[in-house]
Amino acid sequence: MKLFWIKNKVLITTLLAVLALGFLFWGGLRLFEGEQMQDAFIRTSAAEAEATTNPTEAPGTIGLTEASPAPTVMPAELVSEDILHLEWRYKDIFPRITNTFSYQAKTWKEGDKVDDALAEAARKKVKDVYYLLFNDGGDYHDFADAAVTRYVDEAGYRENVLRVTGTNNSFVCVLTEKDLNLLIADNAKFPATATLHEKEDAKEVAEYLGTTLGKGMENMGGSRDRAGNWIEQFFAFELSDGRWITLCYTMNTLHGILVHQDTYSMQEGVCFQADIRHSPEVVHLVAEPNFVQGSPNEVAEGDMTVAQVTGLYRAFLSAANGRAAERRDAEGKAVEELDYNLKDWEITYFLDKSGYRENFYHIHKDGLVDMEIAAKSGYIVRATCNELYNPDDDLKLINIPYDEMGGVEYIHYVKYVAEQTFGKENVRTVDVNAVYDGHGCTIDAYMMDGRWYEFGFTDGRLMYIEHYATERSGIMGWGADSLYVNTITGEEFYQEY
């Protein structure tokens, strides 16, 4: 398992969405009291995550989208708690107009104050966008008082942008600074309509962008209420100049537009090609693994010797599995059945030829552990364990029931193993990750240099160790296994998840 929050944040958002949607929609929340009270639908950003794509809709097919049931037309404008839970939707520079977690660079920084002339031009541009594309002539937004903020990419891979934010977050629109071109616009305040017109809207947006619609179209799904009616729907349209646009609808009303530079940007829900992080056509490993077997009698300068690596291996097993004599006594095993001593063929030395990894030792001790140890840093790159446990009363986990897994006993065991193996001064914190499936538990040990390990248990027995080179890395193993390059921009980055 990967770090629980990193791996499961979309799932967690979805679960919260179901709870929020059920409480708000089915609870018949009323927005206005008295004679003016009108039924309204409360849309939250989390509720969007209950996305279910219609299996009959074929991606890339124009004109075969399912007809949307017409919702009850509400005279009141669509609003939400604190205006659409915008603390989630608008917390980043680029608003999230769909329920997906697309990449947003951490290198954006607020730039110098925008001069009055440029700010006024940006407000005028945004007013045109909302008038022409959202049919909003100013009934719901005060464009004159919108805040205009410059953002600069310190990495230099993305051009400067202007974020135009409506009063009380009633809308957010992001433009390029140089040409005031539309990148993304989201509408937090609008009237509901009865009929969906996604193709007509797409043609209008294409015309506004100075081009025409191409042939490609993707029905990207959306979210429904419990009666099966569409709440939100998302569509992507290809433009004839190679760009794509994503249109987002709430209750059949267009509320968001996102302009993508190419197909791959559309697939990842980002504006800039520099933000493509996963497409195999664009993103490659900087250096593929390349190891050859070396001689343990001729180790490279700075690498640990066989004796040093064997000492680390024994320190780990003695902590994780108990001293061999104690395990033999506890289980009535013969010396041959629980012997920590390594034979020559049980330890192998490998040389890194990629230039991005370390040399390493591979240890295969049948019945106990199969592991790789980095030759310079001494990190356990990966380990598969054969139901290890320490029989000491202070460290034994095998009798702890499922409901109590992940408690102080597990924390103590992992802390003890990590400190005995890597040194107390190198271990920062140890925290529970997850308890799952009636038998499993994972505990994370964070090191002082930012690396971390996941210890995986089944019924109190240690089954594996996974190493992650950076604190938010989502790929186990060597750091270079997470180091990718965007071949369009040349930017190298660690893939986080």
Side-chain angles (χ1 to χ4, degrees):
M1 291 180 65
K2 302 292 188 292
L3 184 61
F4 186 71
W5 168 245
I6 294 176
K7 185 177 180 181
N8 296 286
K9 61 185 177 181
V10 174
L11 175 59
I12 293 171
T13 304
T14 303
L15 294 175
L16 292 175
V18 174
L19 292 175
L21 181 59
F23 175 76
L24 295 174
F25 187 74
W26 293 100
L29 188 65
R30 319 292 283 185
L31 292 184
F32 301 99
E33 300 290 347
E35 294 181 358
Q36 287 75 32
M37 181 181 291
Q38 302 175 16
D39 289 342
F41 174 75
I42 306 296
R43 179 168 72 92
T44 69
S45 60
E48 299 159 6
E50 194 181 6
T52 53
T53 303
N54 182 359
T56 65
E57 295 167 346
T61 303
I62 296 179
L64 296 182
T65 60
E66 178 184 344
S68 301
T72 301
V73 180
M74 293 170 287
E77 63 197 45
L78 281 178
V79 295
S80 80
E81 302 175 78
D82 301 325
I83 310 179
L84 287 173
H85 273 294
L86 299 183
E87 70 279 4
W88 182 84
R89 294 183 70 85
Y90 289 177
K91 69 177 181 178
D92 294 317
I93 298 170
F94 294 82
R96 300 186 183 277
I97 66 174
T98 73
N99 55 28
T100 59
F101 281 86
S102 54
Y103 174 77
Q104 298 203 20
K106 299 177 180 63
T107 51
W108 287 108
K109 301 295 181 184
E110 186 171 335
D112 296 335
K113 183 179 181 298
V114 180
D115 64 70
D116 293 342
L118 180 57
E120 189 58 31
R123 294 187 187 101
K124 183 180 184 303
K125 183 79 170 185
V126 169
K127 184 175 181 179
D128 289 343
V129 168
Y130 282 79
Y131 175 71
L132 296 172
L133 304 181
F134 293 105
N135 299 315
D136 184 350
D139 296 332
Y140 299 99
H141 304 300
D142 184 359
F143 297 103
D145 290 334
V148 182
T149 308
R150 173 186 287 113
Y151 288 94
V152 177
D153 174 30
E154 291 190 324
Y157 293 101
R158 303 155 188 88
E159 61 180 303
N160 293 358
V161 299
L162 301 178
R163 188 185 200 265
V164 184
T165 308
T167 305
N168 297 324
N169 275 339
S170 62
F171 71 87
V172 171
C173 186
V174 180
L175 310 171
T176 61
E177 179 183 348
K178 181 179 178 181
D179 301 313
L180 297 183
N181 290 329
L182 174 64
L183 293 175
I184 186 168
D186 188 66
N187 207 6
K189 206 170 183 182
F190 48 83
T193 57
T195 308
L196 187 71
H197 299 289
E198 72 276 18
K199 286 199 65 177
E200 291 80 356
D201 292 338
K203 289 178 182 177
E204 288 185 1
V205 175
E207 182 179 350
Y208 175 81
L209 295 173
T211 184
T212 59
L213 284 181
K215 296 181 179 180
M217 181 263 186
E218 299 281 343
N219 186 334
M220 304 169 72
S223 58
R224 302 175 188 255
D225 62 22
R226 294 184 181 181
N229 299 312
W230 283 109
I231 301 168
E232 290 199 338
Q233 290 179 272
F234 315 129
F235 303 92
F237 292 88
E238 183 182 20
L239 304 182
S240 57
D241 61 7
R243 290 179 294 172
W244 281 73
I245 53 174
T246 293
L247 305 184
C248 303
Y249 293 81
T250 293
M251 301 297 283
N252 291 342
T253 301
L254 180 65
H255 79 80
I257 300 171
L258 175 58
V259 182
H260 313 279
Q261 290 185 320
D262 60 10
T263 303
Y264 307 119
S265 304
M266 177 275 292
Q267 291 170 345
E268 299 196 18
V270 297
C271 296
F272 296 107
Q273 292 174 320
D275 293 328
I276 299 171
R277 285 296 185 266
H278 301 284
S279 173
E281 292 85 358
V282 175
V283 175
H284 302 159
L285 273 175
V286 171
E288 296 284 346
N290 184 11
F291 294 101
V292 298
Q293 187 169 337
S295 170
N297 298 320
E298 300 177 3
V299 299
E301 183 178 354
D303 283 359
M304 291 187 293
T305 64
V306 171
Q308 290 172 318
V309 173
T310 300
L312 188 151
Y313 146 83
R314 291 185 66 89
F316 164 74
L317 268 186
S318 294
N321 204 48
R323 289 181 292 277
E326 295 181 7
R327 280 295 303 273
R328 287 197 295 271
D329 291 343
E331 299 182 6
K333 293 183 180 293
V335 172
E336 294 78 12
E337 294 178 278
L338 204 63
D339 180 14
Y340 292 173
N341 294 322
L342 291 173
K343 310 296 190 297
D344 289 344
W345 60 85
E346 292 176 327
I347 180 168
T348 313
Y349 180 57
F350 287 91
L351 300 174
D352 167 52
K353 295 299 182 179
S354 74
Y356 281 80
R357 297 164 181 82
E358 296 183 40
N359 303 331
F360 76 93
Y361 287 89
H362 177 227
I363 295 175
H364 178 78
K365 186 64 178 175
D366 194 36
L368 284 172
V369 68
D370 188 286
M371 65 196 310
E372 296 174 3
I373 299 175
K376 281 189 173 62
S377 65
Y379 276 97
I380 298 175
V381 181
R382 56 179 60 85
T384 301
C385 307
N386 188 25
E387 299 188 359
L388 305 185
Y389 75 91
N390 194 312
D392 289 357
D393 291 337
D394 189 37
L395 295 166
K396 187 162 59 176
L397 306 176
I398 58 177
N399 296 325
I400 295 176
Y402 176 70
D403 290 344
E404 298 176 19
M405 285 184 180
V408 293
E409 299 89 351
Y410 276 79
I411 299 296
H412 175 62
Y413 173 88
V414 171
K415 187 172 186 289
Y416 176 75
V417 173
E419 290 181 349
Q420 292 298 308
T421 305
F422 305 118
K424 183 178 296 186
E425 70 281 1
N426 293 318
V427 180
R428 178 159 54 91
T429 59
V430 176
D431 298 303
V432 63
N433 178 322
V435 178
Y436 58 97
D437 293 346
H439 301 278
C441 179
T442 54
I443 304 292
D444 296 333
Y446 294 90
M447 314 306 289
M448 294 298 293
D449 64 359
R451 301 171 186 253
W452 62 282
Y453 289 96
E454 180 174 287
F455 286 66
F457 298 86
T458 299
D459 295 326
R461 292 169 169 81
L462 184 61
M463 307 301 291
Y464 68 84
I465 296 176
E466 295 177 350
H467 166 258
Y468 296 85
T470 61
E471 193 156 320
R472 288 186 55 82
S473 174
I475 301 176
M476 69 175 185
W478 301 100
D481 295 342
S482 302
L483 184 61
Y484 284 80
V485 58
N486 182 313
T487 56
I488 295 176
T489 64
E491 180 183 14
E492 295 183 4
F493 60 91
Y494 284 98
Q495 201 169 83
E496 294 182 351
Y497 45 81

